[in-house]
Amino acid sequence: MKNLSIRFRITMWFTAALLIVVFFTCFVILYADHQIIQKTIRDSLVQTVEDNVDEIEYYKKKVTVDPQETDYYLSFGEGYLEIDDDFLDQVNEVYTALYHADGTFLYGENPIARNVSQLEFTDAKIQEMKVKDTLFYIFDRKLQLNGVQGLWLRGVVSEDQGMVHMSDITQLSLLLLPLLGLFSSVGGYLIARRMLWPIQKISQSAAAIATGEDLKKRIELGKGNDELHHLAQSFNDMFQRLDEAFEAERQFTSDASHELRTPVTVITAQCEYSLEKPRSGAEYQRALRTIQRQGRKMSKLINDMLDFARMEMRAETYVRESVDLAGLAKSVCFDMALIQERGISLRYEIEENVMVCGNRQLLSRLITNLISNAYRYGNENGHIWVVLRRGEDNIELSVSDDGIGIALKDQEKIFQRFYQADHSRAGKGAGLGLSMVHGIAKFHGGDIRVKSEAGRGSRFTVTFPK
């Protein structure tokens, strides 16, 4: 059973269930039909006997009748009994006979006359008797008209009267049942095949993607809004995320190898220089300081790249909570105002009680990176302004400076990883700061935009939903 296809199992169970229903329905129909037929037979018996009661009349003397009439006259007592000719006919296999009260047969037909001769007359009541395994229904009526007192009409009918009809129904059922079973099996198989086609398509597409490693391929089922189309869409979304994850991994590997190549080369060169021949103490110290500086740069670069990759591919590890952004911004600005690098001053204007739903660590990183970027590209004795306020529809955090600014051609690229507009200051950072800020803003459902002019400073504005 386990080795059979789902399509075959669905067809088999569907056919079995349908056949059970058909068998049960046929049984109910045959049983009900049998009961209805037997009731019809009994009703026909009663009706025939009741009609024949009116076909018997008594006359004191024989009357002259039309020669074409076939009524029968029977001597009875001091007169005659006139029995209508219809009395002689079998009506729906019902036989009617006329008897004395003592059981003496007078006229009519009775196929089981010998068997019922000892059966007492019972007025207007159906009696049953089995003769040679055949059930007969018997109905008696006592005649009440003047001159016919003491006479009885007895009607007899066999239950086999309905057997022909029952046999026709049975034969028809036995003929139609296999055809219905065959039709249902073929129909069920075709329906199951049609229903499971999308699953087969999904399986084939998934196998093609797995063997060909082509994450760009998608499952195409056409238009539809059922469960299988939703499943296919879920697979496509999964492939899309996998594709993006692999692209991010390849980009991360490429960027990491590119950015780490320079410090590794510098460290290797300093080691080879120091080992070529004996050097003075001052030369060794310069080489070690160079190696230390490059090592710290590598460490910071690796940490930044890991944080960036973690936020891109495992954002769920950062817990969201209600954060007092006003208090956080004040704390970061107070600490960074103490740097006073190259005489640059930091001022801030923070609106009170500004709350956002987000991750405190990432929000702190965002503010720190923006201020650090302003310090890095600021002028001597320049200024930095940090403003946090509520807007009509959102919350705005802006960091402005009066530094070297950003050329218009570079403004679309500054949020790319490892991109640095001012290569003269490339040694001060890895080019991940603004990329991280952009990613953090997106993580919180916000956005970041820049307004800058070369030589006149820049303003970075981050918006968060209220």
Side-chain angles (χ1 to χ4, degrees), residues 66-94:
D66 189 339
Q68 294 182 352
E69 292 185 2
T70 56
D71 290 350
Y72 183 77
Y73 290 89
L74 181 68
S75 178
F76 180 74
E78 298 179 356
Y80 296 91
L81 294 176
E82 182 189 17
I83 302 175
D84 193 278
D85 57 345
D86 294 337
F87 188 85
L88 299 175
D89 297 331
Q90 295 181 27
V91 181
N92 295 327
E93 299 296 327
V94 177

Side-chain angles (χ1 to χ4, degrees), residues 147-166:
V148 295
Q149 292 86 350
L151 294 181
W152 288 80
L153 277 180
R154 169 164 283 178
V156 177
V157 67
S158 169
E159 71 166 353
D160 290 342
Q161 178 188 352
M163 289 299 105
V164 175
H165 179 64
M166 289 290 293

Side-chain angles (χ1 to χ4, degrees), residues 247-267:
E247 287 293 336
E249 181 181 359
R250 282 194 288 267
Q251 186 65 38
F252 177 83
T253 303
S254 175
D255 293 341
S257 60
H258 175 75
E259 294 299 322
L260 291 174
R261 184 180 295 112
T262 300
V264 169
T265 301
V266 174
I267 291 173

Side-chain angles (χ1 to χ4, degrees), residues 100-324:
H100 273 294
D102 59 3
T104 303
F105 177 80
L106 293 178
Y107 179 79
E109 293 184 65
N110 188 340
I112 55 170
R114 294 181 180 179
N115 301 89
V116 299
S117 60
Q118 302 300 320
L119 185 66
E120 293 184 1
F121 293 103
T122 305
D123 189 37
K125 181 178 179 181
I126 296 178
Q127 303 181 75
E128 297 180 359
M129 174 179 284
K130 268 198 171 183
V131 178
K132 296 181 180 180
D133 297 328
T134 301
L135 181 65
F136 287 86
Y137 299 110
I138 303 163
F139 183 73
D140 301 325
R141 285 291 282 125
K142 185 178 181 179
L143 301 182
Q144 303 290 342
L145 296 176
N146 292 331
V148 295
Q149 292 86 350
L151 294 181
W152 288 80
L153 277 180
R154 169 164 283 178
V156 177
V157 67
S158 169
E159 71 166 353
D160 290 342
Q161 178 188 352
M163 289 299 105
V164 175
H165 179 64
M166 289 290 293
S167 177
D168 292 341
I169 294 177
T170 303
Q171 291 178 4
L172 184 62
S173 300
L174 293 177
L175 175 64
L176 293 179
L177 184 62
L179 294 178
L180 181 60
L182 178 62
F183 177 77
S184 63
S185 298
V186 174
Y189 181 83
L190 295 177
I191 292 173
R193 179 180 180 183
R194 178 62 181 171
M195 291 176 59
L196 295 175
W197 174 81
I199 295 181
Q200 186 177 6
K201 183 72 173 178
I202 292 172
S203 177
Q204 292 174 351
S205 299
I209 292 172
T211 56
E213 297 182 356
D214 182 13
L215 293 179
K216 302 293 184 184
K217 186 177 179 62
R218 296 294 180 264
I219 300 171
E220 299 294 340
L221 295 184
K223 294 183 179 180
N225 196 35
D226 55 22
E227 293 83 352
L228 293 177
H229 282 80
H230 289 310
L231 177 62
Q233 185 59 46
S234 297
F235 270 97
N236 287 335
D237 293 341
M238 179 186 69
F239 293 144
Q240 180 66 28
R241 289 194 296 271
L242 287 175
D243 186 29
E244 292 174 354
F246 282 124
E247 287 293 336
E249 181 181 359
R250 282 194 288 267
Q251 186 65 38
F252 177 83
T253 303
S254 175
D255 293 341
S257 60
H258 175 75
E259 294 299 322
L260 291 174
R261 184 180 295 112
T262 300
V264 169
T265 301
V266 174
I267 291 173
T268 302
Q270 288 297 316
C271 291
E272 291 175 352
Y273 171 78
S274 301
L275 295 174
E276 281 181 356
K277 60 181 180 179
R279 303 289 181 181
S280 64
E283 289 177 322
Y284 280 126
Q285 283 187 359
R286 283 195 299 271
L288 289 174
R289 287 193 186 96
T290 301
I291 293 173
Q292 182 186 48
R293 185 168 59 253
Q294 295 299 325
R296 289 175 176 173
K297 182 178 179 180
M298 289 175 60
S299 178
K300 184 179 185 307
L301 177 62
I302 291 173
N303 289 333
D304 288 345
M305 288 192 298
L306 290 176
D307 288 341
F308 197 88
R310 178 188 175 195
M311 188 180 64
E312 278 193 333
M313 294 185 288
R314 299 186 61 190
E316 68 277 2
T317 59
Y318 291 101
V319 179
R320 295 175 184 267
E321 59 184 353
S322 181
V323 178
D324 181 6

